[in-house]
Amino acid sequence: MGVIFISHSSRNNDGAIRIRDWLSENGWGPSQIFLDLTEFATGDRWRQRLNQIGKDCDGVIVCLSDDWITSPECLREFNHAESAGKPIFPIIVKPVSITIPRFITDLQFTDVSSSQGAATGFERLKLALHRARIGPQHFPWPPTDEQDRLPYRGLEALTEKDAAVFFGRDAQITEGLDALRRMRDGSSKRVLVIAAASGAGKSSFLKAGLLARLQRDTDNFLVLPTMRPGRDALSGPEGLLVALGVEASPDTEEALDAHLKALQSQAARRITELTGRTADASQTPKPSIILPIDQGEEFFSADNVSGAKAIELIARCLGASEAFSVVLTIRSDSLGPLQGRNPLANQLELLNFPALQPSAFKEVIEGPASLAQPPIEIEPPLTTKLINDLNRSDALPLLAFTLERLVKEYGDDNLLELSE
């Protein structure tokens, strides 16, 4: 998990410390909070702070005050966070006597500057962080509707209900969410592409990593059902029309246009219901409608009867609504056709998705075991053996398969040993 960056004026250290202590009391560890209390003005130190925002920060809490508003350094932090697509949570820590800038009032902010309003203010901050899926424990395990679900899925891709046991991809999750927020806020690139070799975990990343979080950030995203092109990308059982909720007809294109307008209205109503504010461009960013697409290489398979037409209609959706974005997984060997002569080519933003490094395997092995009910203990020599044996590019499916078999065959005593 990334960190919470606390942006504050050095004249308001007490307020920033209060925010930090509240985060600690609510489950954030020291490594998950970035608060620099030193006074400095050197370029190297400012670059360090700005790099911290851009690298692995989940969100930025702004300690709002007259001092913050009039500080060029604080405004620089805000602009950097905004351009990086980070969620920003303004919170008044000292009464403000000057005009609050429009770029702050456009956001939802809260007030803990008085003893009377502090409890309500912190409760609103907690709710905002929860909606944005920023917290020490995002998701429950086991899922409430499947108490006996195994924490290891074998060769099956993880789904949204497995978000709690999806480990090892925090950096890519942060990068992907940032990219989708930038698309929501007007980026010219509106198709986020997750390209990697077969077996790298793209589908699990899409569902358990990104979609599980987007589905809960209801202030900002309306996530459609996941599309899979299959053999009929347009009208198949998981095709485009099913994902969009549009029936095939001679007037399909017109029906799509009308449906997109209805989806935008639905998302706007949701904003109003959740925040009590009117969801228009003058007050808050429009919620983004996300079309997830898994196995994008199937668009270009020889037996897909409607791949080209489906791509054409997706491009039409992107053109018809600035609120419409796509996140798509695809095998690396099919990236060429996607980048070639098709209507989506100039809309693509590639997400760096390297093979899972051996250094992350320990977390992938032991993280899910720690969440099992009761927890499963893994003998340290077994973890070491698994990491050493699976130090290869196609390791992830083999590791998932091995762990699932170990739990099924030897997990009754909640202890997995090397001898097993």
Side-chain angles (χ1 to χ4, degrees):
M1 186 183 68
V3 300
I4 295 289
F5 185 101
I6 301 177
S7 172
H8 75 293
S9 165
S10 59
R11 296 181 179 181
N12 305 137
N13 280 352
D14 289 348
I17 290 171
R18 190 180 179 198
I19 300 294
R20 179 198 64 189
D21 292 346
W22 177 85
L23 290 169
S24 298
E25 292 166 3
N26 283 271
W28 278 266
S31 65
Q32 297 163 350
I33 305 169
F34 185 91
L35 172 61
D36 196 325
L37 296 173
T38 59
E39 293 191 37
F40 56 82
T42 65
D44 286 345
R45 292 299 299 278
W46 273 114
R47 279 189 286 273
Q48 178 185 345
R49 288 186 69 156
L50 295 181
N51 287 339
Q52 186 70 38
I53 293 177
K55 182 182 177 184
D56 58 358
C57 152
D58 274 347
V60 175
I61 293 178
V62 167
C63 295
L64 199 59
S65 66
D66 289 350
D67 300 306
W68 188 95
I69 294 170
T70 56
S71 165
E73 291 82 7
C74 290
L75 296 179
R76 192 185 311 170
E77 289 177 352
F78 181 94
N79 291 333
H80 193 77
E82 188 176 48
S83 65
K86 303 296 182 182
I88 300 173
F89 307 93
I91 182 165
I92 298 174
V93 297
K94 190 175 181 180
V96 178
S97 61
I98 60 179
T99 301
I100 298 177
R102 176 65 177 273
F103 58 79
I104 290 291
T105 58
D106 280 352
L107 302 170
Q108 295 181 62
F109 62 94
T110 186
D111 190 341
V112 299
S113 62
S114 67
S115 56
Q116 299 93 331
T120 300
F122 277 119
E123 190 61 32
R124 289 183 63 187
L125 176 61
K126 180 186 290 187
L127 179 61
L129 292 169
H130 174 76
R131 285 177 179 163
R133 307 320 305 153
I134 297 176
Q137 182 58 52
H138 295 304
F139 303 96
W141 188 265
T144 54
D145 62 345
E146 193 175 345
Q147 292 291 308
D148 59 350
R149 190 172 178 88
L150 292 179
Y152 302 103
R153 305 305 302 159
L155 297 180
E156 294 181 28
L158 275 66
T159 71
E160 290 87 338
K161 66 170 57 180
D162 298 307
V165 294
F166 183 68
F167 287 87
R169 290 290 188 183
D170 285 355
Q172 286 77 36
I173 290 173
T174 298
E175 185 179 351
L177 293 176
D178 289 348
L180 290 165
R181 292 188 191 104
R182 289 194 298 271
M183 292 177 184
R184 176 204 63 196
D185 294 339
S187 170
S188 61
K189 306 293 186 180
R190 304 245 300 284
V191 180
L192 181 63
V193 179
I194 305 155
S198 180
K202 302 182 296 296
S203 296
S204 295
F205 174 74
L206 171 67
K207 296 173 183 177
L210 293 182
L211 298 187
R213 288 157 177 81
L214 294 173
Q215 287 170 348
R216 299 198 179 191
D217 188 2
T218 50
D219 281 11
N220 296 299
F221 297 100
L222 176 64
V223 182
L224 300 175
T226 299
M227 172 191 174
R228 178 169 177 176
R231 294 185 177 183
D232 186 351
L234 186 59
S235 303
E238 297 177 274
L240 177 63
L241 297 182
V242 171
L244 291 176
V246 176
E247 294 185 3
S249 73
D251 301 321
T252 294
E253 294 184 2
E254 289 75 10
L256 272 178
D257 292 345
H259 190 62
L260 279 177
K261 291 180 181 178
L263 286 174
Q264 286 180 254
S265 297
Q266 176 185 341
R269 285 195 302 273
R270 179 181 290 181
I271 290 286
T272 302
E273 291 167 0
L274 288 171
T275 68
R277 300 173 63 181
T278 303
D280 61 32
S282 68
Q283 291 185 309
T284 187
K286 292 180 180 179
S288 183
I289 301 166
I290 302 292
L291 172 65
I293 303 175
D294 197 17
Q295 311 290 335
E297 63 275 0
E298 293 175 350
F299 279 118
F300 309 106
S301 64
D303 59 352
N304 195 311
V305 299
S306 58
K309 180 62 175 178
I311 288 177
E312 178 185 323
L313 289 178
I314 292 169
R316 180 185 178 92
C317 291
L318 291 167
S321 172
E322 294 180 356
F324 191 85
S325 298
V326 174
V327 55
L328 174 148
T329 71
I330 192 168
R331 286 204 318 259
S332 299
D333 57 9
S334 294
L335 192 55
L338 183 64
Q339 294 174 314
R341 297 183 62 182
N342 74 76
L344 299 180
N346 64 348
Q347 301 262 30
L348 308 180
E349 177 169 342
L350 296 182
L351 173 74
N352 181 35
F353 197 76
L356 194 67
Q357 297 301 304
S359 59
F361 284 165
K362 187 175 190 295
E363 185 182 19
V364 171
I365 293 166
E366 297 181 351
S370 69
L371 294 177
Q373 299 295 330
I376 299 171
E377 180 182 352
I378 298 182
E379 188 181 38
L382 172 57
T383 297
T384 301
K385 180 68 171 171
L386 287 168
I387 292 173
N388 290 340
D389 282 359
L390 295 173
N391 187 8
R392 47 188 290 182
S393 61
D394 60 351
L396 196 56
L398 296 172
L399 177 60
F401 174 76
T402 302
L403 289 168
E404 182 195 38
R405 289 291 297 273
L406 282 169
V407 170
K408 282 185 174 180
E409 296 184 17
Y410 300 103
D412 288 346
D413 59 356
N414 300 305
L415 173 65
L416 300 181
E417 301 175 287
L418 177 59
S419 60
E420 296 168 343

